[in-house]
Amino acid sequence: MTPRVFQRNRRWDRLARWLISVGGVGVIGCVAVMLLLIVWMALPLFGKPHATEVVPAFTAPAGTPILAVGLDDNAEVGFTLGGDGFFQFLELRTGAVTARVPASPRAGKPGVKLTGVSAGRHLEYALAWDDGSWSLVRIAFRSSFETGRRQILHQVEILAEMPAAVTMPAGGAGQMRAGEKGGAVLVWLDPSGATFQVRRSVVKTDLLGNEETAMATYEIPVPAGSVTAFTVDLAGSTLYAGTADARLLRWNLGDDRAELLEQVRAFEDGRRITALGLVFGDVSLAVGDDRGGVSTWMPVALYGEGSSRRMELIHTLAAHASPVVEFPFVQSGKQLLSRSAAGLVRLDHMTSERKLLTLQGSQSLDAINISNRGDHLLALDRNGLLHLWDLDAPHAEISWKVLFGKVWYENYDRPALVWQSSAANDDAEPKFSFVPLIFGSLKATFYALFFAVPLALMGAIYTSQFTTPEVRGVVKPAVEIMAAVPSVVIGFLAALWLAPRVETAITGVFLFALILPVAFLLTLALWMAIRNTRLAKRVGRGFEFLPLIPVLILAGAAALALGPAVEKLLFAGDFKLWLFHTAGLRYDQRNSLIIAFALGFAVVPVIFTMAEDALSNVPNNLKAASLALGASRWQTVWRVILPSASPGVFAAVIIGFGRAVGETMIVLMATGNTPILDASPFNGMRTLSANIAVEIPEAPAGGTLFRLLFLSAVLLFLLTSVLNTAAELIRHRLRKKYGQF
Amino acid sequence: MSDTPLILPIENPVLKVSDLHLYYGDSEALHGISMGFPARQVTALIGPSGCGKSTLLRCLNRMNDLIEGVRVTGSLQLDDIEINDPALDVIGLRRRVGMVFQKSNPFPKSVYENVVYGLRIAGVGDRAVLDEAVEKSLRSAGLWDEVKDRLAESALGLSGGQMQRLCIARAIAVNPGIILMDEPCSALDPRSTARVEDLIVELRENYTIIIVTHNMQQAARVSDLTAFLYEGHLVEYGPTKRLFTKPLSPKTEDYITGRFG
């Protein structure tokens, strides 16, 4: 070689090495960047909530004592409600008062004052006048662009009026809820705490359109103890009360009488119940006590469907240092706002039991109101200063326990692992457990591999060790073409063609699994008997599968033909019904059997090709050595070829596993996508990957669901990479033990 | 001289080949070989590359079955059984006719498992029997002292010569009457070769050995009888000493004097 040629070769060598290095590092870099990007999208889920004061605290409008405060959705306009019955609207950024509006025509008359205010729904107030009458008013804000820039317009609406009654002297506590067409219900607690008065006004319209208001009043005696806190649901149909001796009572409020549904002893350690409130959705009852404890309760059918419901302690949240005095209404999700006697305000999330924010003013906070979307909070402290906070508690419903642990959701009779990210109504509790999805992924993979691994490995062994090179030359490319079938086609066929057929012929399918081995064994026995006849000799070595093909077809035909008869005989003519009655299992059309076939079909070529290569690469001289020692072909395969090829075969199975876990389209189309925790082969599942495909189009970018889907992608990534790494390590060890193939 | 037959007739051969023809597809590789192999002797098969000596060897334990398109006619008598009978139990045959290959091919198992492989597949599971067979076979193969402390280690960690002797031990563990050796030393260094050759001479006491070799010195050193094959024909067969000193056929003479091959 001349020096020039030598130099040129060296140059090429260096270039090639450089290119390969760049390519390899580039691939690793791309994967790393991808992972980083996914993690980056999921990371805000674990951000810390924080609150910032938007403007420095400013002095509230002077005048009568302030009983309530409130603000609009944009935190631009706020208001105070004074003891004189006037709302004063003010610009929150400047503190300037813009309007003073009477809460009712009654306000402003000489000597008329409010004796109490209780908040109901968002910006809805029940006003107790000193003459014993009650009003239910609501503040409505709307945006106007008439002047060219946005203006927040306000309006005070009177929803209902309740005239004074002798049975309800001024001074008792009351809560009022609006009914239909100006009707209302007022629940009033006697100052002694021993009886409730319920007044219900029902507005009826006759045929001529005349409205008539009917008034019903009844009394509810408290069976024992004195009531220290009570609340009424938004529909005005259920009354909850808590007593000094820690009893919780629940009544159903009828038109003319109340029915006591239950009373339970909430605490046995001498606590007093000091505050009650309903979490948005009116299912969970927040209970605050004199030791600062905050918990939520709900009626649960403990003994299964149909048994009577009893209040149960569901969530215990972090405690205040002083007694809880109030649970202001929150309309944003399952957050819980609580105020303590010391004037501290705390925001928690019920489902995740996370303590989100603690707020305090220059002095004890007396009146607070959170905006509709839960992002701003206006509070008045005892110094007469108004504080406006911007609250940032994103993804408060997420905690590790919610993602992986059992959570007792509203309307559930026991804690459960559930994925249900969205619902028709916005007061539903989203359920974000990854467990059913991980389970679904593993279930689909298990059934697919259960079908595919034996088939692919047996096929690989037969093709590489028993058949002729010609047959192998046909079979191998054919199986590899299977891998080229788009998974959407497999999924489509599985869901729309295979699933209904399997459903109708399910007995036949099981029968086939039973008949086929028997038929094969019989054929084998027959074969042993005739192996030395001329007919048998005509079947060449390596073509032994040929006589089995008609057996396969006949067994299949026999199974399908016998199916209905067997179904009639064993399952009273309907396997699905029988399954449901005897085993309690439901049969879904798109079930794990279908997935085993469809996903298995996708995985078979992967496992087959790799395993076949590994088996074929075992040197012939090992095979020869074994045969020369008097081993049969099967003994040779089992004792020499398979152990030698085991690293490769193992890798093939793991790669197949990875393919099955990550597969999306087939499971998306043929599983039914129900995120259930049930290993039964007769129902479907929802996998992590399909879940991302199903839900990402309806997940608002940046929202909790959106980020959770990215988190599940991280999980999927980790699942496959951990598995592959483990497989590689095991393969390495096998390789050390069994040599080089 | 003319009364010395070109092909020595063997009395009471343990293995008798008569009119053996072998075809690879359409081409004939062995043209009617007839010869006998005496018991407890070492018979060497020599000849230039492609003469058919390995093919002939593989006929003796039906290893040619593994090659596609091979057709064999003629008769191969082992004691009273016909090797070339299609209905023959090949597995039983191979237990009686062991084989050692050109390239040592231990299984990727421990030394112990390699030796007992033949017994295990025959269904022997008694630990004592296996232990005894291992020691006996390894001692016969002259390997016992070298490997007795590493029986549980992988056979792939042995040296090339040790591996080949392990293969011999593996072959004799099943106690065959006949051992076929297909150029057993061609991949070994001279020292290992010498050890294997010594071993062959020792094994002659108990076994009938048929060895294919390229190396004429080796044939001269280890064998009692030598057969010279050329282009699929058995040219000359006789006592080794005589064949190497006074070959009858001019072809044999040309070959052993190095004119071709």
Side-chain angles (χ1 to χ4, degrees):
Chain A
M1 217 188 289
T2 65
R4 262 190 57 198
V5 175
F6 189 64
Q7 252 187 4
R8 209 178 61 198
N9 285 353
R10 278 238 313 247
R11 256 204 315 278
W12 274 113
D13 210 41
R14 218 173 307 150
L15 183 70
R17 194 160 51 207
W18 185 80
L19 269 176
I20 290 166
S21 309
V22 167
V25 171
V27 168
I28 296 171
C30 281
V31 172
V33 166
M34 232 161 66
L35 180 62
L36 211 68
L37 211 71
I38 306 174
V39 170
W40 191 252
M41 295 303 285
L43 219 51
L45 281 175
F46 305 101
K48 248 181 106 70
H50 53 90
T52 43
E53 279 203 71
V54 182
V55 287
F58 55 92
T59 316
T64 52
I66 292 170
L67 300 178
V69 297
L71 75 170
D72 77 320
D73 287 356
N74 301 300
E76 288 179 17
V77 177
F79 61 83
T80 61
L81 173 60
D84 56 358
F86 276 83
F87 286 103
Q88 299 202 66
F89 291 89
L90 53 141
E91 280 181 10
L92 288 178
R93 310 290 149 150
T94 60
V97 176
T98 53
R100 189 160 175 274
V101 183
S104 141
R106 208 183 264 104
K109 287 182 185 156
V112 173
K113 279 197 306 190
L114 284 176
T115 57
V117 172
S118 72
R121 198 185 280 273
H122 187 57
L123 300 185
E124 205 176 274
Y125 299 93
L127 310 178
W129 301 97
D130 56 358
D131 63 355
S133 67
W134 288 75
S135 308
L136 185 64
V137 298
R138 179 165 66 205
I139 311 298
F141 290 103
R142 62 187 173 88
S143 303
S144 154
F145 295 88
E146 270 166 31
T147 55
R149 54 180 279 269
R150 187 178 66 177
Q151 268 189 308
I152 308 290
L153 302 181
H154 54 76
Q155 198 183 350
V156 179
E157 296 170 0
I158 299 172
L159 301 175
E161 296 269 12
M162 200 74 83
V166 280
T167 50
M168 298 185 197
Q175 291 206 0
M176 221 173 149
R177 299 287 183 259
E180 282 172 27
K181 290 185 270 179
V185 57
L186 169 65
V187 178
W188 183 86
L189 177 66
D190 186 87
S192 69
T195 50
F196 285 102
Q197 299 282 336
V198 178
R199 296 183 74 192
R200 190 184 284 277
S201 64
V202 181
V203 179
K204 285 191 178 132
T205 314
D206 64 18
L207 285 173
L208 299 171
N210 297 323
E211 288 188 350
E212 196 186 326
T213 306
M215 192 72 80
T217 306
Y218 55 87
E219 194 182 278
I220 307 174
V222 177
S226 79
V227 172
T228 45
F230 72 99
T231 188
V232 182
D233 68 351
L234 294 184
S237 58
T238 311
L239 166 65
Y240 300 88
T243 65
D245 56 353
R247 241 185 276 263
L248 280 175
L249 298 103
R250 184 160 64 101
W251 285 274
N252 188 15
L253 298 179
D255 282 343
D256 45 16
R257 61 186 200 89
E259 182 193 355
L260 179 65
L261 297 174
E262 61 169 319
Q263 55 169 327
V264 294
R265 191 69 173 255
F267 308 109
E268 298 289 352
D269 55 357
R271 289 162 193 253
R272 292 161 59 90
I273 291 172
T274 53
L276 288 183
L278 281 160
V279 179
F280 185 49
D282 280 351
V283 176
S284 296
L285 178 73
V287 176
D289 59 55
D290 61 342
R291 297 188 195 164
V294 178
S295 52
T296 67
W297 297 65
M298 69 179 180
V300 173
L302 273 185
Y303 307 106
E305 204 85 16
S307 66
S308 68
R309 293 178 170 268
R310 231 179 72 116
M311 297 290 278
E312 275 293 319
L313 174 63
I314 307 299
H315 299 286
T316 305
L317 305 173
H320 279 278
S322 54
V324 183
V325 292
E326 185 192 11
F327 292 109
F329 182 75
V330 184
Q331 185 144 347
S332 49
K334 299 295 175 187
Q335 293 187 346
L336 191 61
L337 199 59
S338 56
R339 187 166 67 86
S340 74
L344 250 62
V345 170
R346 237 203 22 236
L347 188 65
D348 301 87
H349 197 279
M350 179 183 78
T351 316
S352 64
E353 297 179 1
R354 273 175 68 192
K355 179 175 160 183
L356 301 172
L357 293 167
T358 307
L359 302 171
Q360 62 184 102
S362 59
Q363 260 284 341
S364 156
L365 297 175
D366 283 343
I368 52 174
N369 183 248
I370 192 165
S371 67
N372 191 20
R373 287 198 296 264
D375 51 358
H376 287 92
L377 188 128
L378 185 67
L380 175 75
D381 72 19
R382 202 157 284 172
N383 286 346
L385 290 177
L386 279 172
H387 300 264
L388 176 64
W389 275 284
D390 184 341
L391 308 182
D392 186 19
H395 320 301
E397 62 271 54
I398 298 304
S399 68
W400 290 112
K401 176 149 191 281
V402 166
L403 293 179
F404 295 103
K406 280 193 171 181
V407 176
W408 202 333
Y409 294 107
E410 288 183 342
N411 298 326
Y412 275 62
D413 290 338
R414 60 192 65 80
L417 298 159
V418 185
W419 174 274
Q420 190 189 343
S421 58
S422 46
N425 45 340
D426 36 316
D427 59 5
E429 194 175 18
K431 299 161 186 72
F432 291 126
S433 177
F434 276 163
V435 176
L437 305 177
I438 297 171
F439 178 84
S441 274
L442 295 179
K443 182 181 173 187
T445 308
F446 170 78
Y447 280 106
L449 292 187
F450 188 76
F451 176 73
V453 167
L455 211 60
L457 290 190
M458 296 293 173
I461 290 171
Y462 186 78
T463 321
S464 66
Q465 303 299 325
F466 292 96
T467 193
T468 65
E470 292 81 43
V471 175
R472 183 168 171 243
V474 174
V475 170
K476 199 160 182 234
V479 174
E480 276 158 12
I481 283 174
M482 265 170 76
V485 178
S487 56
V488 65
V489 174
I490 301 177
F492 177 80
L493 285 175
L496 297 178
W497 182 83
L498 184 65
R501 275 162 183 76
V502 168
E503 188 185 17
T504 47
I506 180 72
T507 335
V509 171
F510 282 119
L511 212 56
F512 183 54
L514 216 73
I515 288 182
L516 188 65
V518 174
F520 271 15
L521 286 177
L522 284 178
T523 316
L524 269 179
L526 188 73
W527 187 258
M528 300 299 266
I530 64 158
R531 64 186 301 182
N532 288 325
T533 63
R534 272 189 43 203
L535 183 73
K537 285 271 180 278
R538 279 176 58 188
V539 176
R541 183 161 260 225
F543 288 92
E544 296 90 343
F545 62 91
L546 284 179
L548 284 178
I549 290 175
V551 176
L552 180 79
I553 294 171
L554 282 177
L560 288 184
L562 285 176
V566 172
E567 195 167 5
K568 204 167 211 167
L569 197 71
L570 293 180
F571 310 119
D574 192 338
F575 174 75
K576 285 186 283 175
L577 212 63
W578 177 87
L579 191 70
F580 186 70
H581 281 307
T582 48
L585 294 174
R586 213 174 277 284
Y587 183 94
D588 293 335
Q589 194 188 63
R590 297 180 187 182
N591 55 38
S592 305
L593 295 177
I594 302 297
I595 282 306
F597 295 143
L599 195 52
F601 185 86
V603 174
V604 160
V606 179
I607 301 179
F608 174 85
T609 308
M610 288 190 62
E612 210 276 344
D613 282 341
L615 291 164
S616 294
N617 283 342
V618 175
N620 255 329
N621 65 10
L622 281 187
K623 196 173 165 182
S626 170
L627 292 172
L629 283 165
S632 67
R633 286 199 289 173
W634 177 243
Q635 281 175 319
T636 303
V637 166
W638 191 244
R639 288 168 183 259
V640 174
I641 308 281
L642 262 181
S644 302
S646 60
V649 172
F650 185 75
V653 173
I654 291 299
I655 298 286
F657 188 100
R659 169 88 166 81
V661 169
E663 170 58 44
T664 308
M665 211 59 208
I666 295 173
V667 287
L668 182 67
M669 296 176 82
T671 58
N673 286 313
T674 40
I676 46 172
L677 268 172
D678 187 345
S680 158
F682 301 109
N683 52 32
M685 75 292 288
R686 182 189 285 199
T687 68
L688 277 171
S689 53
N691 186 56
I692 295 174
V694 168
E695 304 216 346
I696 204 92
E698 56 193 60
T704 301
L705 177 58
F706 180 81
R707 296 200 187 282
L708 269 182
L709 293 177
F710 274 91
L711 187 65
S712 69
V714 174
L715 212 66
L716 200 57
F717 196 106
L718 289 181
L719 194 70
T720 43
S721 57
V722 163
L723 257 160
N724 280 345
T725 311
E728 199 52 42
L729 289 177
I730 295 172
R731 197 160 86 96
H732 201 72
R733 289 192 57 178
L734 284 175
R735 207 182 202 150
K736 259 192 184 154
K737 198 166 162 201
Y738 290 117
Q740 55 277 46
F741 321 109
Chain B
M1 207 142 171
S2 58
D3 57 335
T4 317
L6 211 52
I7 291 165
L8 180 78
I10 305 290
E11 273 178 47
N12 298 326
V14 58
L15 189 58
K16 188 159 178 284
V17 180
S18 1
D19 195 27
L20 181 75
H21 292 262
L22 184 139
Y23 306 86
Y24 286 119
D26 293 331
S27 72
E28 193 170 356
L30 295 178
H31 303 265
I33 309 264
S34 298
M35 63 191 292
F37 295 96
R40 290 168 204 238
Q41 300 269 301
V42 178
T43 307
L45 303 178
I46 62 168
S49 298
C51 70
K53 55 191 189 297
S54 289
T55 304
L56 172 61
L57 192 76
R58 284 201 303 267
C59 284
L60 304 180
N61 66 347
R62 289 271 298 267
M63 286 298 274
N64 279 327
D65 287 8
L66 302 182
I67 299 165
E68 280 310 307
V70 168
R71 195 159 53 82
V72 183
T73 63
S75 157
L76 290 150
Q77 290 278 333
L78 171 64
D79 296 336
D80 50 341
I81 65 163
E82 171 55 52
I83 293 177
N84 211 14
D85 178 0
L88 174 81
D89 169 23
V90 179
I91 289 165
L93 167 70
R94 288 178 187 157
R95 282 186 193 290
R96 295 176 59 181
V97 185
M99 190 167 192
V100 175
F101 295 81
Q102 183 171 358
K103 192 168 170 284
S104 65
N105 49 5
F107 300 126
K109 296 171 184 283
S110 67
V111 172
Y112 185 94
E113 285 302 323
N114 260 283
V115 177
V116 300
Y117 182 84
L119 295 170
R120 277 208 198 280
I121 57 175
V124 180
D126 186 348
R127 190 80 199 180
V129 175
L130 295 180
D131 285 348
E132 197 195 325
V134 167
E135 183 168 352
K136 193 166 149 252
S137 312
L138 285 174
R139 277 194 196 283
S140 306
L143 199 58
W144 176 250
D145 293 331
E146 290 163 60
V147 300
K148 65 178 180 214
D149 297 326
R150 40 200 282 212
L151 292 177
E153 286 171 35
S154 171
L156 301 178
L158 301 179
S159 74
Q162 286 173 327
M163 281 199 222
Q164 190 61 298
R165 278 181 285 143
L166 177 66
C167 291
I168 294 173
R170 185 174 68 184
I172 59 187
V174 291
N175 212 11
I178 302 172
I179 300 175
L180 310 177
M181 295 187 177
D182 190 356
E183 301 190 35
C185 303
S186 66
L188 300 183
D189 61 90
R191 261 193 66 178
S192 304
T193 301
R195 296 216 53 173
V196 172
E197 284 178 4
D198 290 347
L199 175 60
I200 293 170
V201 174
E202 286 167 29
L203 290 175
R204 179 175 170 276
E205 306 265 310
N206 297 310
Y207 301 94
T208 304
I209 295 173
I210 302 167
I211 178 169
V212 165
T213 178
H214 237 96
N215 180 331
M216 277 172 291
Q217 283 80 15
Q218 185 172 63
R221 280 195 297 268
V222 302
S223 68
D224 305 297
L225 292 163
T226 298
F228 173 61
L229 280 86
Y230 183 67
E231 291 184 345
H233 295 276
L234 178 63
V235 176
E236 189 171 346
Y237 180 35
T240 302
K241 208 173 262 173
R242 203 265 301 140
L243 191 126
F244 278 95
T245 49
K246 285 181 246 163
L248 299 175
S249 156
K251 275 194 191 130
T252 315
E253 179 153 20
D254 287 352
Y255 180 68
I256 60 175
T257 52
R259 286 203 199 129
F260 69 92

